[in-house]
Amino acid sequence: MKIIKMENHKAEYEKYKALRQKTADLENILGLLSWDQEVYMPQEGAQFRAQQQATLSGVVHEMSTSPEYIKTLEKLYAAKDKFPFTERKNIEESYKSLKKNRKLPTDFIQRESKAISEAYQAWMKARKENNFQTFKPQLRTIISLQRDKAELLGYQDHPYNALLDLYEPEMTVSKLDVIFADVRKNLSTFFGKIKDKEQPDDSFFNTNFDKDAQIQLCRKLVEDLGYSWKSGRLDLSEHPFSISFNPQDARITTRINETDIRESIWGSIHETGHAFYELGLPAEQYGLPAGSPVSLSMHESQSRLWENNVGKSQAYISAYMPLLKNAFPDAFGNVTDTQFFKGLNKVQPDLIRINSDEVTYHFHILLRYELEKDLIDGTLSVNDLEEAWNAKIKGYLGLDVPSPKMGVLQDIHWSHGSLGYFPTYSLGSFYAAQFYHFAEQAIPNLTDQIANKQFGDLLNWLRENVHRHGHTFTSEELCKIATGEGLDYKYFDDYLNRKYAVVYGI
């Protein structure tokens, strides 16, 4: 590789930037097709949508591995030390991505994209029929492709490491095994303290809640947090999600359950946290690593912080009880703030991951992590997956799974080919607790602000300490910048003990 001359390196960087942003444009158009597929697309459009997505995915991959892009980036990488910090980081991270992309042939990208689109439709059909058999053929294809991807990318020790690295750079099975061993022990001990305590009443959540009234309420709640309709939307989908197309367009969806309002409200708040992260990235770095999230666990830290540390706090509940009572007087008219807070934070194992409390939630992540590892290394087959799922649910949560929709078919992730994603949920919760602790130190009256529906200082703290850095640091480095230390589970443990001391009197 030739070292570029000093007088040329700026021009080469601008060329790289233009190529990278052009690719990002197409990636975001592809994202728009995916959003439409899950929100508005008619069922009969599925076949041609899969073809369109596969074609565009191939074009994106070809652009990101084109001779022109490779030549430009290799020149820049050879001279990376001549650039200022942000530009150097963009070059380094882009070079890492290029090395990965060059390992995945275009025909593989197209096959994977088509398989994912078809798997999503099969998953939707299987959920409707409540029949895992309907999804098995497509899931087998997805698992086979993910195994192939691991081999193409390369790995040390375990093929699952190659997939983990796509969502949480530098994370490995050996690291996660230690983390989840500690989590299993600590959460089991904590759960043991409260499982025999008198359970809070949460029956007022299980009544009839009008769909339109729920949507209207969710819109009000996320707007109050600071979510702007000039740069976002709230729609309905089978599985709640957030998606961004640029730093000024980050959309969210929620799911309505007319017999339990918790799904829509805290699902909406959760997805708003994701959108905040995307909207807080530096616009001038669009399409570049510095304008991208650092990892999925960091992304999840933002959603869990707003959903749990804020949205399920006593201060937040007290602030919004008048609005909740006004919207649903039959359900909440005679419920006190404290009763609502305790009922909302009740610890009771649930079959559905996204409906689970903050304690047992992580057992859901643990079992998915274990199943994914076994699927990828061949220890477990798709034929035996449902039985294995049900056995782990029984072992970890003591629950019997009555149907596939309540068990192995509940998550969208496998239909998207997102194996290696689930561990980031637990990591995100632990980062969230640590960030919130230090935000409280920086904003001494934060609890009072929340009680008065004032969220600007907290959002600004996150913008300054997390969002604006994009992917110029690793998750661990970013945590040290924001809090002065690396990720430490003790902050999550302290958070649980403080909250549930009020709920259960422990």
Side-chain angles (χ1 to χ4, degrees):
M1 293 184 293
K2 296 181 180 179
I3 303 296
I4 59 178
K5 296 179 180 180
M6 287 294 293
E7 61 267 24
N8 293 333
H9 75 270
K10 289 185 179 180
E12 289 289 339
Y13 184 84
E14 289 303 313
K15 182 179 180 181
Y16 146 78
K17 183 177 178 180
L19 289 169
R20 185 54 252 167
Q21 291 184 333
K22 186 176 181 180
T23 304
D25 289 341
L26 293 179
E27 289 172 334
N28 285 311
I29 292 170
L30 186 59
L32 189 58
L33 290 178
S34 298
W35 173 82
D36 175 71
Q37 176 177 273
E38 297 191 33
V39 177
Y40 286 123
M41 188 187 76
Q43 185 176 355
E44 293 299 318
Q47 178 182 348
F48 284 99
R49 179 56 52 86
Q51 176 181 317
Q52 293 160 355
Q53 290 172 314
T55 298
L56 191 52
S57 293
V59 173
V60 168
H61 184 67
E62 287 174 354
M63 287 184 62
S64 62
T65 56
S66 69
E68 181 183 19
Y69 179 69
I70 292 171
K71 182 179 179 181
T72 300
L73 190 53
E74 285 183 338
K75 286 181 179 180
L76 290 173
Y77 188 75
K80 59 186 175 66
D81 292 336
K82 299 180 182 294
F83 288 89
F85 174 79
T86 300
E87 286 83 352
R88 175 167 55 82
K89 282 294 184 177
N90 281 334
I91 294 167
E92 289 175 344
E93 292 303 324
S94 293
Y95 190 73
K96 288 180 186 177
S97 296
L98 175 63
K99 289 175 66 178
K100 288 182 182 178
N101 288 337
R102 293 177 78 176
K103 294 178 180 180
L104 300 178
T106 299
D107 70 306
F108 176 85
I109 297 296
Q110 291 175 324
R111 286 190 292 117
E112 183 185 43
S113 177
K114 189 171 187 294
I116 287 171
S117 186
E118 291 172 348
Y120 171 74
Q121 297 301 323
W123 173 75
M124 291 281 286
K125 187 172 186 290
R127 277 181 58 84
K128 185 176 181 179
E129 296 174 353
N130 206 8
N131 182 4
F132 183 54
Q133 295 294 329
T134 302
F135 184 48
K136 275 186 178 181
Q138 288 77 15
L139 183 57
R140 288 193 192 97
T141 300
I142 290 291
I143 298 302
S144 177
L145 284 167
Q146 296 308 301
R147 289 173 180 165
D148 291 346
K149 180 184 282 187
E151 295 300 326
L152 288 167
L153 291 172
Y155 58 86
Q156 290 184 340
D157 301 325
H158 198 290
Y160 192 62
N161 286 340
L163 306 180
L164 282 173
D165 190 66
L166 297 174
Y167 304 103
E168 189 61 28
E170 302 182 17
M171 184 54 66
T172 64
V173 164
S174 60
K175 292 178 182 178
L176 277 177
D177 283 345
V178 172
I179 292 171
F180 278 120
D182 290 341
V183 168
R184 185 188 298 112
K185 178 182 177 181
N186 288 332
L187 286 186
S188 295
T189 300
F190 182 80
F191 184 59
K193 295 178 182 178
I194 60 179
K195 65 180 181 180
D196 295 326
K197 294 285 186 179
E198 181 180 355
Q199 288 290 341
D201 177 25
D202 65 346
S203 60
F204 43 83
F205 287 117
N206 303 117
T207 184
N208 294 317
F209 296 95
D210 178 73
K211 176 181 178 179
D212 291 337
Q214 286 195 57
I215 295 173
Q216 184 178 354
L217 178 61
C218 289
R219 289 179 62 86
K220 169 62 176 173
L221 293 175
V222 301
E223 184 178 324
D224 280 3
L225 291 177
Y227 188 63
S228 171
W229 305 119
K230 293 181 179 180
S231 56
R233 289 183 57 92
L234 172 62
D235 294 282
L236 301 180
S237 63
E238 180 70 15
H239 192 290
F241 69 95
S242 173
I243 189 168
S244 171
F245 308 119
N246 61 64
Q248 296 176 343
D249 185 354
R251 307 179 190 187
I252 63 175
T253 72
T254 194
R255 179 167 63 193
I256 300 296
N257 181 340
E258 293 189 271
T259 61
D260 191 340
I261 197 173
R262 286 172 289 192
E263 286 192 34
S264 64
I265 291 180
W266 285 274
S268 297
I269 295 173
H270 178 100
E271 300 305 335
T272 299
H274 282 304
F276 279 157
Y277 190 6
E278 295 286 346
L279 294 168
L281 295 168
E284 68 275 10
Q285 298 293 333
Y286 167 74
L288 305 173
S292 307
V294 60
S295 71
L296 269 296
S297 71
M298 196 55 59
H299 226 307
E300 191 64 16
S301 76
Q302 302 307 287
S303 60
R304 300 293 278 183
L305 185 149
W306 287 100
E307 176 193 3
N308 294 329
N309 300 81
V310 175
K312 293 182 180 178
S313 69
Q314 198 158 24
Y316 185 86
I317 298 307
S318 295
Y320 282 97
M321 275 308 293
L323 184 63
L324 288 162
K325 289 185 176 186
N326 183 63
F328 303 104
D330 292 341
F332 304 136
N334 296 319
V335 179
T336 68
D337 299 6
T338 300
Q339 287 173 330
F340 192 101
F341 168 73
K342 289 184 176 182
L344 178 63
N345 290 287
K346 179 180 180 179
V347 175
Q348 184 174 24
D350 194 295
L351 287 166
I352 305 299
R353 173 183 61 86
I354 64 172
N355 295 343
S356 295
D357 60 80
E358 295 180 73
V359 178
T360 60
Y361 178 87
H362 299 286
F363 292 110
H364 276 280
I365 302 306
L366 174 60
L367 75 88
R368 286 158 173 79
Y369 166 62
E370 293 175 336
L371 291 173
E372 287 189 352
K373 280 196 304 180
D374 291 346
L375 285 168
I376 294 302
D377 69 14
T379 305
L380 178 66
S381 72
V382 171
N383 279 341
D384 299 324
L385 178 59
E386 185 174 12
E387 182 180 354
W389 176 290
N390 294 349
K392 285 186 179 292
I393 285 286
K394 183 69 172 179
Y396 287 133
L397 301 178
L399 301 176
D400 294 310
V401 181
S403 67
K405 190 173 182 179
M406 300 290 285
V408 70
L409 285 176
Q410 68 180 265
D411 295 304
I412 199 172
H413 301 64
W414 290 342
S415 73
H416 280 178
S418 301
L419 283 87
Y421 191 129
F422 279 116
T424 65
Y425 287 130
S426 283
L427 294 173
S429 292
F430 308 150
Y431 277 122
Q434 190 160 337
F435 288 146
Y436 193 79
H437 171 85
F438 283 91
E440 285 184 304
Q441 305 303 306
I443 312 168
N445 64 335
L446 179 56
T447 299
D448 290 337
Q449 287 189 13
I450 292 172
N452 288 295
K453 304 180 183 179
Q454 298 171 357
F455 307 102
D457 284 352
L458 177 58
L459 181 56
N460 288 336
W461 188 91
L462 293 169
R463 290 265 194 264
E464 176 67 21
N465 290 282
V466 179
H467 305 172
R468 72 180 180 90
H469 294 291
H471 191 176
T472 54
F473 301 100
T474 66
S475 296
E476 185 75 359
E477 290 170 341
L478 192 55
C479 186
K480 289 179 181 178
I481 290 171
T483 71
E485 55 189 276
L487 180 63
D488 194 330
Y489 177 82
K490 73 178 182 181
Y491 292 104
F492 183 70
D493 193 49
D494 290 345
Y495 160 69
L496 290 183
N497 277 283
R498 288 198 311 273
K499 173 178 279 189
Y500 288 100
V502 177
V503 178
Y504 286 96
I506 57 173

PDB file of all heavy atoms in Angstrom, residues 254-271:
ATOM      1  N   THR A 254     -45.214   0.492  18.243  1.00  0.00           N
ATOM      2  CA  THR A 254     -45.613  -0.167  19.480  1.00  0.00           C
ATOM      3  C   THR A 254     -46.655  -1.220  19.141  1.00  0.00           C
ATOM      4  O   THR A 254     -47.086  -1.340  17.992  1.00  0.00           O
ATOM      5  CB  THR A 254     -46.154   0.838  20.514  1.00  0.00           C
ATOM      6  OG1 THR A 254     -46.226   0.208  21.804  1.00  0.00           O
ATOM      7  CG2 THR A 254     -47.534   1.360  20.135  1.00  0.00           C
ATOM      8  N   ARG A 255     -47.032  -2.003  20.141  1.00  0.00           N
ATOM      9  CA  ARG A 255     -48.027  -3.054  19.970  1.00  0.00           C
ATOM     10  C   ARG A 255     -49.141  -2.842  20.992  1.00  0.00           C
ATOM     11  O   ARG A 255     -48.862  -2.583  22.168  1.00  0.00           O
ATOM     12  CB  ARG A 255     -47.368  -4.431  20.160  1.00  0.00           C
ATOM     13  CG  ARG A 255     -48.323  -5.605  20.019  1.00  0.00           C
ATOM     14  CD  ARG A 255     -47.557  -6.910  19.905  1.00  0.00           C
ATOM     15  NE  ARG A 255     -46.774  -7.232  21.073  1.00  0.00           N
ATOM     16  CZ  ARG A 255     -45.839  -8.176  21.107  1.00  0.00           C
ATOM     17  NH1 ARG A 255     -45.566  -8.866  20.005  1.00  0.00           N
ATOM     18  NH2 ARG A 255     -45.162  -8.425  22.210  1.00  0.00           N
ATOM     19  N   ILE A 256     -50.374  -2.951  20.546  1.00  0.00           N
ATOM     20  CA  ILE A 256     -51.515  -2.714  21.430  1.00  0.00           C
ATOM     21  C   ILE A 256     -52.082  -4.033  21.937  1.00  0.00           C
ATOM     22  O   ILE A 256     -52.392  -4.934  21.160  1.00  0.00           O
ATOM     23  CB  ILE A 256     -52.635  -1.938  20.704  1.00  0.00           C
ATOM     24  CG1 ILE A 256     -52.112  -0.576  20.226  1.00  0.00           C
ATOM     25  CG2 ILE A 256     -53.857  -1.776  21.601  1.00  0.00           C
ATOM     26  CD1 ILE A 256     -51.712   0.361  21.328  1.00  0.00           C
ATOM     27  N   ASN A 257     -52.192  -4.133  23.244  1.00  0.00           N
ATOM     28  CA  ASN A 257     -52.893  -5.236  23.889  1.00  0.00           C
ATOM     29  C   ASN A 257     -54.075  -4.608  24.629  1.00  0.00           C
ATOM     30  O   ASN A 257     -53.882  -3.872  25.595  1.00  0.00           O
ATOM     31  CB  ASN A 257     -51.965  -5.965  24.869  1.00  0.00           C
ATOM     32  CG  ASN A 257     -52.631  -7.144  25.552  1.00  0.00           C
ATOM     33  OD1 ASN A 257     -53.866  -7.243  25.604  1.00  0.00           O
ATOM     34  ND2 ASN A 257     -51.837  -8.045  26.093  1.00  0.00           N
ATOM     35  N   GLU A 258     -55.271  -4.875  24.170  1.00  0.00           N
ATOM     36  CA  GLU A 258     -56.443  -4.190  24.727  1.00  0.00           C
ATOM     37  C   GLU A 258     -56.860  -4.719  26.094  1.00  0.00           C
ATOM     38  O   GLU A 258     -57.802  -4.210  26.686  1.00  0.00           O
ATOM     39  CB  GLU A 258     -57.608  -4.266  23.742  1.00  0.00           C
ATOM     40  CG  GLU A 258     -57.344  -3.458  22.476  1.00  0.00           C
ATOM     41  CD  GLU A 258     -58.565  -3.326  21.582  1.00  0.00           C
ATOM     42  OE1 GLU A 258     -58.758  -4.207  20.719  1.00  0.00           O
ATOM     43  OE2 GLU A 258     -59.327  -2.357  21.755  1.00  0.00           O
ATOM     44  N   THR A 259     -56.143  -5.732  26.603  1.00  0.00           N
ATOM     45  CA  THR A 259     -56.416  -6.213  27.955  1.00  0.00           C
ATOM     46  C   THR A 259     -55.232  -6.001  28.898  1.00  0.00           C
ATOM     47  O   THR A 259     -55.260  -6.447  30.037  1.00  0.00           O
ATOM     48  CB  THR A 259     -56.783  -7.715  27.940  1.00  0.00           C
ATOM     49  OG1 THR A 259     -55.694  -8.476  27.405  1.00  0.00           O
ATOM     50  CG2 THR A 259     -58.035  -7.956  27.116  1.00  0.00           C
ATOM     51  N   ASP A 260     -54.181  -5.319  28.420  1.00  0.00           N
ATOM     52  CA  ASP A 260     -53.041  -5.001  29.286  1.00  0.00           C
ATOM     53  C   ASP A 260     -52.286  -3.822  28.680  1.00  0.00           C
ATOM     54  O   ASP A 260     -51.569  -3.961  27.694  1.00  0.00           O
ATOM     55  CB  ASP A 260     -52.104  -6.202  29.431  1.00  0.00           C
ATOM     56  CG  ASP A 260     -51.062  -5.985  30.529  1.00  0.00           C
ATOM     57  OD1 ASP A 260     -50.821  -4.821  30.909  1.00  0.00           O
ATOM     58  OD2 ASP A 260     -50.490  -6.990  31.000  1.00  0.00           O
ATOM     59  N   ILE A 261     -52.448  -2.668  29.307  1.00  0.00           N
ATOM     60  CA  ILE A 261     -51.896  -1.426  28.761  1.00  0.00           C
ATOM     61  C   ILE A 261     -50.381  -1.327  28.902  1.00  0.00           C
ATOM     62  O   ILE A 261     -49.736  -0.493  28.273  1.00  0.00           O
ATOM     63  CB  ILE A 261     -52.572  -0.212  29.449  1.00  0.00           C
ATOM     64  CG1 ILE A 261     -52.337   1.052  28.627  1.00  0.00           C
ATOM     65  CG2 ILE A 261     -52.082  -0.060  30.885  1.00  0.00           C
ATOM     66  CD1 ILE A 261     -53.109   2.242  29.132  1.00  0.00           C
ATOM     67  N   ARG A 262     -49.787  -2.187  29.715  1.00  0.00           N
ATOM     68  CA  ARG A 262     -48.350  -2.088  29.951  1.00  0.00           C
ATOM     69  C   ARG A 262     -47.537  -2.294  28.669  1.00  0.00           C
ATOM     70  O   ARG A 262     -46.478  -1.681  28.505  1.00  0.00           O
ATOM     71  CB  ARG A 262     -47.921  -3.104  31.017  1.00  0.00           C
ATOM     72  CG  ARG A 262     -48.332  -2.701  32.431  1.00  0.00           C
ATOM     73  CD  ARG A 262     -48.084  -3.784  33.447  1.00  0.00           C
ATOM     74  NE  ARG A 262     -49.015  -4.899  33.292  1.00  0.00           N
ATOM     75  CZ  ARG A 262     -49.174  -5.870  34.189  1.00  0.00           C
ATOM     76  NH1 ARG A 262     -48.464  -5.856  35.308  1.00  0.00           N
ATOM     77  NH2 ARG A 262     -50.034  -6.848  33.983  1.00  0.00           N
ATOM     78  N   GLU A 263     -48.020  -3.135  27.776  1.00  0.00           N
ATOM     79  CA  GLU A 263     -47.273  -3.404  26.544  1.00  0.00           C
ATOM     80  C   GLU A 263     -47.088  -2.142  25.715  1.00  0.00           C
ATOM     81  O   GLU A 263     -45.993  -1.848  25.231  1.00  0.00           O
ATOM     82  CB  GLU A 263     -47.979  -4.474  25.711  1.00  0.00           C
ATOM     83  CG  GLU A 263     -47.855  -5.875  26.270  1.00  0.00           C
ATOM     84  CD  GLU A 263     -48.309  -6.930  25.274  1.00  0.00           C
ATOM     85  OE1 GLU A 263     -48.109  -6.731  24.064  1.00  0.00           O
ATOM     86  OE2 GLU A 263     -48.866  -7.949  25.711  1.00  0.00           O
ATOM     87  N   SER A 264     -48.150  -1.390  25.536  1.00  0.00           N
ATOM     88  CA  SER A 264     -48.067  -0.223  24.659  1.00  0.00           C
ATOM     89  C   SER A 264     -47.295   0.928  25.300  1.00  0.00           C
ATOM     90  O   SER A 264     -46.436   1.543  24.654  1.00  0.00           O
ATOM     91  CB  SER A 264     -49.465   0.235  24.258  1.00  0.00           C
ATOM     92  OG  SER A 264     -50.207   0.680  25.386  1.00  0.00           O
ATOM     93  N   ILE A 265     -47.573   1.233  26.560  1.00  0.00           N
ATOM     94  CA  ILE A 265     -46.935   2.392  27.194  1.00  0.00           C
ATOM     95  C   ILE A 265     -45.432   2.208  27.319  1.00  0.00           C
ATOM     96  O   ILE A 265     -44.643   3.021  26.819  1.00  0.00           O
ATOM     97  CB  ILE A 265     -47.554   2.678  28.581  1.00  0.00           C
ATOM     98  CG1 ILE A 265     -48.986   3.190  28.431  1.00  0.00           C
ATOM     99  CG2 ILE A 265     -46.702   3.708  29.329  1.00  0.00           C
ATOM    100  CD1 ILE A 265     -49.665   3.500  29.751  1.00  0.00           C
ATOM    101  N   TRP A 266     -45.014   1.134  27.986  1.00  0.00           N
ATOM    102  CA  TRP A 266     -43.582   0.999  28.248  1.00  0.00           C
ATOM    103  C   TRP A 266     -42.833   0.457  27.043  1.00  0.00           C
ATOM    104  O   TRP A 266     -41.630   0.664  26.925  1.00  0.00           O
ATOM    105  CB  TRP A 266     -43.362   0.191  29.526  1.00  0.00           C
ATOM    106  CG  TRP A 266     -43.684   1.085  30.690  1.00  0.00           C
ATOM    107  CD1 TRP A 266     -42.837   1.968  31.300  1.00  0.00           C
ATOM    108  CD2 TRP A 266     -44.965   1.275  31.310  1.00  0.00           C
ATOM    109  NE1 TRP A 266     -43.502   2.686  32.271  1.00  0.00           N
ATOM    110  CE2 TRP A 266     -44.814   2.281  32.304  1.00  0.00           C
ATOM    111  CE3 TRP A 266     -46.209   0.692  31.141  1.00  0.00           C
ATOM    112  CZ2 TRP A 266     -45.867   2.706  33.101  1.00  0.00           C
ATOM    113  CZ3 TRP A 266     -47.260   1.111  31.942  1.00  0.00           C
ATOM    114  CH2 TRP A 266     -47.087   2.106  32.910  1.00  0.00           C
ATOM    115  N   GLY A 267     -43.552  -0.159  26.107  1.00  0.00           N
ATOM    116  CA  GLY A 267     -42.946  -0.473  24.822  1.00  0.00           C
ATOM    117  C   GLY A 267     -42.632   0.795  24.045  1.00  0.00           C
ATOM    118  O   GLY A 267     -41.576   0.934  23.433  1.00  0.00           O
ATOM    119  N   SER A 268     -43.552   1.751  24.076  1.00  0.00           N
ATOM    120  CA  SER A 268     -43.336   3.028  23.386  1.00  0.00           C
ATOM    121  C   SER A 268     -42.184   3.807  24.006  1.00  0.00           C
ATOM    122  O   SER A 268     -41.350   4.387  23.291  1.00  0.00           O
ATOM    123  CB  SER A 268     -44.615   3.874  23.437  1.00  0.00           C
ATOM    124  OG  SER A 268     -45.675   3.242  22.756  1.00  0.00           O
ATOM    125  N   ILE A 269     -42.125   3.841  25.325  1.00  0.00           N
ATOM    126  CA  ILE A 269     -41.034   4.547  26.007  1.00  0.00           C
ATOM    127  C   ILE A 269     -39.694   3.889  25.678  1.00  0.00           C
ATOM    128  O   ILE A 269     -38.689   4.568  25.429  1.00  0.00           O
ATOM    129  CB  ILE A 269     -41.280   4.590  27.527  1.00  0.00           C
ATOM    130  CG1 ILE A 269     -42.528   5.424  27.834  1.00  0.00           C
ATOM    131  CG2 ILE A 269     -40.065   5.155  28.259  1.00  0.00           C
ATOM    132  CD1 ILE A 269     -42.947   5.394  29.296  1.00  0.00           C
ATOM    133  N   HIS A 270     -39.678   2.558  25.680  1.00  0.00           N
ATOM    134  CA  HIS A 270     -38.474   1.803  25.353  1.00  0.00           C
ATOM    135  C   HIS A 270     -37.959   2.177  23.959  1.00  0.00           C
ATOM    136  O   HIS A 270     -36.770   2.512  23.793  1.00  0.00           O
ATOM    137  CB  HIS A 270     -38.797   0.303  25.417  1.00  0.00           C
ATOM    138  CG  HIS A 270     -37.658  -0.594  25.049  1.00  0.00           C
ATOM    139  ND1 HIS A 270     -36.876  -1.219  25.989  1.00  0.00           N
ATOM    140  CD2 HIS A 270     -37.177  -0.986  23.842  1.00  0.00           C
ATOM    141  CE1 HIS A 270     -35.956  -1.945  25.387  1.00  0.00           C
ATOM    142  NE2 HIS A 270     -36.121  -1.826  24.064  1.00  0.00           N
ATOM    143  N   GLU A 271     -38.837   2.130  22.980  1.00  0.00           N
ATOM    144  CA  GLU A 271     -38.418   2.433  21.611  1.00  0.00           C
ATOM    145  C   GLU A 271     -38.025   3.896  21.444  1.00  0.00           C
ATOM    146  O   GLU A 271     -37.169   4.234  20.616  1.00  0.00           O
ATOM    147  CB  GLU A 271     -39.527   2.061  20.622  1.00  0.00           C
ATOM    148  CG  GLU A 271     -39.933   0.596  20.639  1.00  0.00           C
ATOM    149  CD  GLU A 271     -38.782  -0.369  20.433  1.00  0.00           C
ATOM    150  OE1 GLU A 271     -37.766   0.029  19.826  1.00  0.00           O
ATOM    151  OE2 GLU A 271     -38.889  -1.532  20.882  1.00  0.00           O
TER     152      GLU A 271
END
